[in-house]
Amino acid sequence: MNRRTLLASAAALALPALLPGARARAQTPATPVPAGETLKVGFIYVGPVGDGGWSYQHDLGRKAIEAEYGDRVETTFIESVPEGADAERALTQLALAGNTLIFATSFGFMDAVINTARKFPNVKFEHATGYKRADNVATYDARFYEGRAVIGTIAGRMTKSNKIGYIGSFPIPEVIQGINSSFIHARKVNPGVEMKVVWAYSWFDPAKEADAAAALIAEGVDVILQHTDSTAPLAKAQEAGVIGFGQASDMANFKPTPRVSSIIDNWAPYYIRRVGQILDGTWTSHGVWLGIGDGEVEIGEITEAVPAEVKAEAEALKAQIASKAYHPFTGPLKKQDGSDWLAEGAVATDEELSSMNFFVEGIAAQIPS
Amino acid sequence: MLRLEPRPAAPAWLELATPVMAVIATMIAGGVLFALMGFDPVAAVRTIFWDPLFGPAASYSRPQLLVKAGPLILIACGLAVGFRAGIWNIGAEGQYIVGGLCGAAVALAAYPAEGAWIFPAMVLAGAAGGWAWGMIPAMLRNWFGASEILVSLMLVYVAQRLAAWMAFGPMRNPEGFGMPGSRNLQQYPSAANPELVAGTGAHWGVVAAALAVVATWFLMSRHIRGFHIRAAGLAPRAARFAGVSPAALVAFCLGLSGALAGMAGLFEVAGPGGQIIDSFGSGYGFTAIIVAFLGRLHPLGILLAGLLLALTYIGGELAQLTLQLPAATVQVFQGMLLFFLLAFDTLTRFRIRSARAMA
Amino acid sequence: MILDVTTLLLLISAATPILFAALGEVIVERAGVLNLGVEGLMIVGALAGFAAAHATGSTALGFAVAAVAGAGLAMIFAVLTQMLLTNQVATGLALTLFGLGLTAMFGKPYEGIKAPPVPAGPLGVNAMIWLGLALVPLIWLGLNRTRAGLILRGVGENHDAAHALGYKVRAVRIAAIAAGGALAGMGGAYISIAIVLQWTEGMTAGAGWIALAIVVFAGWNPWGALAGAWLFGGVTVLQLRLQAAGVAVPVQLLSMAPYLATILVLVLISARQTYARGGGGTAPGSLGRPFHALR
């Protein structure tokens, strides 16, 4: 055993005792918070709350907690936390400040959450979109691909050029699921439809997103789907007279067109439920992946720019997905290379989806490696 | 009309007083800004400057100052040596990134082997990577006369894209469910750069920063090379007549600052950061320029300046936590701090005289 | 077909913000001042321009206010570097931090609001694009064919000589910094008013740093700035268009290309300067050096 690992393990053992916050709340997992005592809930965001997209929606969830529980809870947040070392410090600061439930709202916070959770066994952590869990670390994610199926249906019906564009952020499973889901459902209602994909390599870069939208429009695309957070693609769509969809938030400013509908991350129901479970002492760790049926993925108002029958069709699909009568990845489906993926009637497992790294048959674009 | 008249030598008390005056002026201007925004100015200033040191959670945040200040001090020490010689490496951010990439590459290539050689090899690779990235502007300046300011800055962007490419491509964790980012080196014992003594925050990068302070102090004040550097900065032509080779000096300064920045990157990726991600360069290289100036290009000054900047980062987080002050406050504070320091510095270099009295 | 009129139009639009900022920095650097605070100037312009356009409903007024705001912030830099002789590299970096922070703090009320539309100009291209293109020959003429331009270049090449000839080095530089700030502010406002149509913090996303690269690529020449803006804008647009056409492109590697090209251009320019003596497009002799008149 070398010296460094020896020191490291000594540090791991000794640290909790040194931290004042670690003993501040000696609370066993299944004890309700007594009436009259305030529960402190902390959040860390990867972007500024004013990003109008991802972090903004999480902050709406935080505000919903305050609205729901009033004096019983007190919430705080730290915004624009870089992934890596700073995240661990921000989480620790929140724990030391007496927050007993902490939401970490970006995938990149994963290892920081696990490390911090080890130091604070009495603090509960909720990590968005990650896959590492512990007794006091739960994970939660949204089935964005369910919403993409509905939007894909509208896109397939609305396109006249039969070309749909998709602005992807990064080639990661969550985005690839969305591209596949929207393509499958656009093709279902319009067999002639093609999908063009552009990777912006950013979650938020308005100028780049605008250029990406323009590049798609130049390719003859007349419906744009986006998995990046700014409104720039909608602005471009408006200029060019094509349509698009709100992403993460409703982007209602662009109603009724170019924004004909939207896919909204609604974290409020989950946040309210989990805070409630802490309050009544029933919180346990889990990994959940919630969708339309749970109210976590919402479809924003479908505007009058969409014909009534298309709107009805989209809403019917949404209802079927919500009731779990239909799964957006139901066979027969083939992979892009023509190999079989799902047999007739078979449904993709969550494991397959969460590491999805291929396009389905019919998409001409490539996933960068 | 006021005019400036150079001083032959600044009085010692003024050298020491100006940074303090700058900090106080920043607190006052910051307080006014907070008051305008509807925050309690006294509470805000206290939270940022006092609480990380003496507040309720200070036993945690004090060591964190070292974690945050370590890379800043390490990089700034190297930069200051060059700045003294009039050699402007503003691409430390790129050298930091490349150092981190090279060090991580050694670890990832060795994975999952364990051995005492791995960490030292990573440190060497990190330093070599940063050195090499710093030598590009050095050589282009020596061979072609290309401005090292501009070349080193361009290479920051190249390095940032290199990091993104690595995080998505060659260095992507094969067990990471297709998500970007390398393996976490904190979980790889032979490659990890952990806290050395529990509760101090000190990892090898902090140790290296402390050594760098001592070494650059020795270099600048006790070594002939340091004399050459100072001479070149003050009177380039005279230095040349005295036998100082400008080309060798350029190579030495950019190589040294590159190597230190590269080591800082390596200590960060193996320690607090843990992994190569697409946004691996988080601005330490640029902030270190501020630290170097704030520390008046003196190793001891840099030590204090690094800790002060770390204080504003951590205090800024606390202010978000307790007062809901926006995150951007820290940037405004750092910007103002530097403005005031640079402005007050004029007092040490020049006397302010009334032009009318002169005439 | 990828290289068509559409691509060209896209490219020109994408290049407009960085063209404005780069033209401004050309003026500043030709006067011998290195202002690394372009990103800060752009973001302040983006917010001020958006706020004014929103309040008045006039995008033209928005751009005017952005210019004033950019010049105003640049005055901090001018006072510090010209009157108090602070280090230009450090002051510029501080300006960027300050601008980014300040706009994030004061931009909160403008989040989530839409800008008024920019009226389309001749050929369906808005007036700002035309103005950007028109500024290229105007600034070139101003720098190379007017007395004021001659003085500005003289100040940038050798401030001691210019001073000895009786020119007011400090005043010329302050004016250049103000002009540069105004143009950077307008470039930033183009992003918020004409491209994104909203204000969000940090929305310039590094455009100011690209503008700095372009100035070097340009060899401190306005025509070069146009070429540089089109190269940087072009690489982005081209890789996006290739992607949209279904071609797999190594995005990160491709996006390094303009920076590597900039280094190459800088090396070529410098080599010509070092070995051949003379020729245009060289770095101003006094770039980044403080000027202090002893008498």
Side-chain angles (χ1 to χ4, degrees):
Chain A
M1 180 180 229
N2 69 37
R3 188 172 145 72
R4 250 175 322 107
T5 47
L6 178 71
L7 288 169
S9 41
L13 286 173
L15 196 54
L18 285 168
L19 297 168
R23 343 165 234 168
R25 243 180 186 287
Q27 183 195 17
T28 48
T31 311
V33 177
E37 193 174 322
T38 325
L39 171 72
K40 291 179 84 175
V41 184
F43 287 78
I44 62 169
Y45 305 134
V46 70
V49 291
D51 68 359
W54 181 258
S55 295
Y56 173 75
Q57 288 299 124
H58 284 285
D59 200 51
L60 287 186
R62 177 185 69 83
K63 288 177 179 157
I65 293 174
E66 292 211 317
E68 177 78 17
Y69 296 106
D71 289 346
R72 294 208 63 196
V73 296
E74 187 188 320
T75 66
T76 43
F77 66 88
I78 304 184
E79 62 179 339
S80 302
V81 177
E83 295 170 350
D86 296 304
E88 195 167 328
R89 188 180 57 250
L91 288 165
T92 307
Q93 297 278 29
L94 281 170
L96 289 175
N99 292 285
T100 41
L101 175 63
I102 296 171
F103 290 89
T105 63
S106 176
F107 171 79
F109 296 150
M110 183 162 66
D111 288 325
V113 168
I114 296 293
N115 290 347
T116 316
R118 215 175 286 141
K119 291 187 286 185
F120 297 94
N122 294 325
V123 175
K124 312 289 186 289
F125 292 84
E126 293 270 353
H127 178 222
T129 72
Y131 54 81
K132 292 186 182 169
R133 283 177 283 276
D135 281 348
N136 59 337
V137 180
T139 59
Y140 60 101
D141 200 349
R143 294 181 190 270
F144 300 113
Y145 67 85
E146 293 188 350
R148 303 274 165 205
V150 179
I151 282 177
T153 304
I154 301 173
R157 287 287 185 204
M158 296 296 286
T159 178
K160 294 185 180 64
S161 65
N162 279 349
K163 286 178 184 163
I164 296 174
Y166 201 112
I167 304 173
S169 48
F170 293 98
I172 57 172
E174 174 191 320
V175 180
I176 294 169
Q177 291 157 20
I179 294 172
N180 283 331
S181 175
S182 42
F183 177 73
I184 290 166
H185 294 87
R187 263 254 161 122
K188 206 165 258 178
V189 295
N190 180 354
V193 85
E194 271 182 73
M195 173 96 75
K196 310 273 181 193
V197 180
V198 168
W199 300 100
Y201 279 94
S202 175
W203 288 108
F204 181 82
D205 180 344
K208 174 78 86 47
E209 291 170 52
D211 290 343
L216 288 167
I217 293 164
E219 275 300 308
V221 157
D222 62 353
V223 181
I224 295 175
L225 283 69
Q226 62 178 99
H227 208 135
T228 50
D229 289 350
S230 92
T231 51
L234 285 173
K236 271 285 164 226
Q238 185 155 40
E239 221 173 79
V242 305
I243 60 166
F245 299 87
Q247 152 69 15
S249 67
D250 194 30
M251 303 190 176
N253 280 335
F254 289 87
K255 274 185 196 174
T257 186
R259 174 223 164 277
V260 298
S261 182
S262 63
I263 172 163
I264 304 171
D265 312 348
N266 181 10
W267 305 102
Y270 180 74
Y271 287 0
I272 288 172
R273 196 169 78 233
R274 293 301 268 175
V275 170
Q277 288 171 348
I278 296 274
L279 288 172
D280 60 24
T282 56
W283 190 97
T284 49
S285 172
H286 65 196
V288 290
W289 200 8
L290 305 172
I292 289 180
D294 314 279
E296 186 152 309
V297 177
E298 274 184 43
I299 302 297
E301 183 203 338
I302 302 172
T303 65
E304 64 267 25
V306 177
E309 67 274 15
V310 176
K311 182 175 175 179
E313 185 178 28
E315 279 172 348
L317 179 68
K318 182 178 128 186
Q320 271 194 308
I321 294 173
S323 68
K324 308 261 187 268
Y326 172 72
H327 189 291
F329 290 105
T330 302
L333 284 173
K334 287 179 187 245
K335 295 186 181 179
Q336 189 177 34
D337 58 14
S339 62
D340 289 323
W341 177 34
L342 295 174
E344 176 84 45
V347 166
T349 64
D350 285 356
E351 289 69 38
E352 278 177 293
L353 291 178
S354 59
S355 58
M356 188 176 245
N357 61 356
F358 58 87
F359 280 149
V360 294
E361 187 181 39
I363 298 180
Q366 307 284 323
I367 297 178
S369 53
Chain B
M1 181 70 188
L2 295 174
R3 48 168 296 133
L4 300 173
E5 180 186 316
R7 288 177 197 271
W13 67 268
L14 201 57
E15 289 261 3
L16 295 173
T18 47
V20 178
M21 285 160 64
V23 171
I24 293 170
T26 307
M27 287 179 180
I28 294 169
V32 170
L33 199 64
F34 295 142
L36 284 177
M37 293 174 64
F39 293 99
D40 174 358
V42 178
V45 171
R46 194 195 60 226
T47 308
I48 294 175
F49 288 97
W50 182 262
D51 283 1
L53 291 171
F54 308 106
S59 64
Y60 173 74
S61 51
R62 271 191 301 245
Q64 285 296 311
L65 287 177
L66 292 182
V67 174
K68 198 80 193 167
L72 292 174
I73 294 170
L74 187 55
I75 301 169
C77 278
L79 292 179
V81 172
F83 291 174
R84 276 283 173 102
I87 294 162
W88 301 98
N89 175 11
I90 60 168
E93 179 78 3
Q95 294 139 20
Y96 169 91
I97 292 172
V98 172
L101 289 175
C102 290
V106 169
L108 296 172
Y111 185 87
E114 298 284 352
W117 61 274
I118 293 176
F119 190 70
M122 288 164 63
V123 176
L124 283 179
W131 175 83
W133 210 247
M135 286 313 276
I136 299 173
M139 289 301 108
L140 293 181
R141 174 166 160 174
N142 285 344
W143 293 338
F144 306 108
S147 157
E148 79 282 6
I149 299 184
L150 302 167
V151 176
S152 62
L153 179 62
M154 294 305 115
L155 285 172
V156 174
Y157 310 129
V158 176
Q160 285 169 342
R161 276 144 193 87
L162 202 62
W165 179 57
M166 287 290 172
F168 279 93
M171 287 192 182
R172 194 196 300 226
N173 181 358
E175 287 147 29
F177 293 91
M179 299 301 275
S182 72
R183 285 181 196 282
N184 196 315
L185 301 181
Q186 291 167 346
Q187 294 147 16
Y188 175 16
S190 285
N193 171 27
E195 201 177 29
L196 294 171
V197 181
T200 61
H203 56 73
W204 284 112
V206 176
V207 176
L211 290 176
V213 169
V214 176
T216 47
W217 173 80
F218 180 80
L219 172 76
M220 294 307 287
S221 55
R222 293 285 179 273
H223 196 274
I224 183 72
R225 177 70 90 178
F227 170 74
H228 288 166
I229 287 167
R230 281 181 292 146
L234 292 172
R237 206 166 294 168
R240 198 180 293 213
F241 285 125
V244 180
S245 153
L249 212 55
V250 166
F252 175 80
C253 291
L254 279 160
L256 175 74
S257 51
L260 292 182
M263 275 167 65
L266 170 275
F267 289 127
E268 194 68 13
V269 73
Q275 58 180 157
I276 294 289
I277 50 175
D278 62 320
S279 56
F280 171 62
S282 45
Y284 276 124
F286 287 118
T287 312
I289 298 175
I290 298 181
V291 169
F293 276 97
L294 217 51
R296 325 172 112 266
L297 308 183
H298 188 284
L300 284 177
I302 287 170
L303 180 70
L304 294 174
L307 290 169
L308 180 65
L309 269 241
L311 188 67
T312 60
Y313 278 115
I314 292 169
E317 281 165 12
L318 284 175
Q320 280 197 62
L321 205 69
T322 52
L323 305 170
Q324 277 81 52
L325 218 60
T329 315
V330 175
Q331 289 175 315
V332 175
F333 247 85
Q334 291 173 344
M336 286 197 306
L337 186 59
L338 198 56
F339 284 152
F340 281 120
L341 183 96
L342 292 167
F344 286 140
D345 244 12
T346 306
L347 291 177
T348 64
R349 291 183 293 134
F350 299 94
R351 248 188 280 263
I352 296 177
R353 283 284 166 87
S354 158
R356 204 164 295 148
M358 291 269 298
Chain C
M1 190 55 205
I2 300 296
L3 293 170
D4 51 12
V5 179
T6 326
T7 306
L8 190 69
L9 283 175
L10 286 179
L11 183 160
I12 293 173
S13 172
T16 296
I18 46 182
L19 175 65
F20 269 94
L23 285 173
E25 185 70 7
V26 164
I27 297 174
V28 176
E29 292 193 16
R30 269 300 181 88
V33 179
L34 179 65
N35 183 355
L36 295 184
V38 183
E39 180 80 3
L41 297 169
M42 286 186 84
I43 194 85
V44 165
L47 175 60
F50 181 86
H54 174 71
T56 63
S58 155
T59 52
L61 257 171
F63 285 111
V65 169
V68 172
L73 187 71
M75 273 306 109
I76 297 180
F77 179 86
V79 167
L80 284 168
T81 60
Q82 301 309 308
M83 316 281 262
L84 298 175
L85 306 179
T86 61
N87 178 277
Q88 294 175 8
V89 169
T91 312
L93 286 175
L95 194 69
T96 290
L97 276 177
F98 187 70
L100 286 170
L102 205 65
T103 50
M105 285 168 83
F106 288 98
K108 293 268 179 238
Y110 296 97
E111 280 161 3
I113 304 171
K114 211 165 123 187
V118 181
L123 301 178
V125 173
N126 68 51
M128 285 300 285
I129 292 182
W130 288 116
L131 179 61
L133 294 175
L135 279 173
V136 173
L138 286 177
I139 292 174
W140 184 85
L141 283 172
L143 283 174
N144 295 298
R145 293 288 181 272
T146 67
R147 199 177 140 68
L150 184 71
I151 295 169
L152 182 117
R153 284 184 295 130
V155 164
E157 279 307 325
N158 187 336
H159 47 220
D160 296 319
H163 177 67
L165 289 172
Y167 295 117
K168 294 196 172 4
V169 173
R170 205 156 67 175
V172 170
R173 288 190 169 164
I174 291 174
I177 293 167
L183 287 173
M186 287 166 84
Y190 191 83
I191 298 178
S192 61
I193 297 177
I195 296 183
V196 185
L197 312 192
Q198 279 200 342
W199 159 257
T200 37
E201 72 173 86
M203 70 187 308
T204 47
W209 295 102
I210 294 176
L212 283 167
I214 289 171
V215 175
V216 182
F217 176 85
W220 294 271
N221 177 330
W223 290 105
L226 182 66
W230 286 6
L231 171 77
F232 277 81
V235 168
T236 309
V237 167
L238 194 67
Q239 63 99 344
L240 291 169
R241 283 220 64 192
L242 284 170
Q243 283 197 49
V247 182
V249 279
V251 174
Q252 281 99 359
L253 297 183
L254 199 63
S255 59
M256 285 177 197
Y259 298 104
L260 294 172
T262 301
I263 294 175
L264 185 71
V265 168
L266 181 66
V267 165
L268 291 176
I269 290 171
S270 315
R272 192 170 55 182
Q273 187 178 21
T274 311
Y275 296 120
R277 290 273 128 219
T282 54
S286 295
L287 184 60
R289 281 169 44 206
F291 170 73
H292 180 248
L294 286 174
R295 58 193 72 246

